Amino acid sequence: MRRPKLEEKDLFNPEEAIEFYGLSRRKFAQLLNSDERLPFIAFYRTRKIIIRSEYERYMEEHPEVEEELRNGR
């Protein structure tokens, strides 16, 4: 059985999201570990899972966050 390509996935682990969206690893980790309740994070036991459709919707509504994550500022 082959592993699905990132383009085909609806759920990402944080490393896959960083790779797929070209994000700053440090800034994305800060966002995930913040106290803010983020609608695109789901938990599987202790693991954080990124829901692709919710992440994309959140970034459309918060373009300043997306720019910061991509530029690593």
Side-chain angles (χ1 to χ4, degrees):
M1 178 176 228
R2 74 171 179 85
R3 296 183 106 180
K5 296 179 182 178
L6 290 179
E7 298 84 27
E8 299 170 347
K9 295 181 82 171
D10 295 326
L11 302 172
F12 295 127
N13 66 41
E15 288 299 316
E16 291 171 334
I18 289 167
E19 180 182 338
F20 186 74
Y21 293 108
L23 307 175
S24 163
R25 188 175 313 283
R26 180 178 58 86
K27 287 290 185 175
F28 194 62
Q30 287 176 346
L31 178 65
L32 294 182
N33 294 326
S34 70
D35 292 334
E36 182 181 354
R37 178 155 162 69
L38 300 169
F40 56 85
I41 296 178
F43 288 91
Y44 178 72
R45 298 184 185 171
T46 59
R47 295 177 52 203
K48 291 181 181 177
I49 305 297
I50 311 305
I51 304 168
R52 182 178 180 173
S53 60
E54 292 296 321
Y55 175 81
E56 291 174 354
R57 183 178 302 123
Y58 181 83
M59 289 304 147
E60 285 177 12
E61 295 170 1
H62 300 89
E64 70 283 355
V65 173
E66 181 177 29
E67 181 179 337
E68 186 175 317
L69 290 174
R70 289 183 189 270
N71 294 331
R73 296 184 304 153

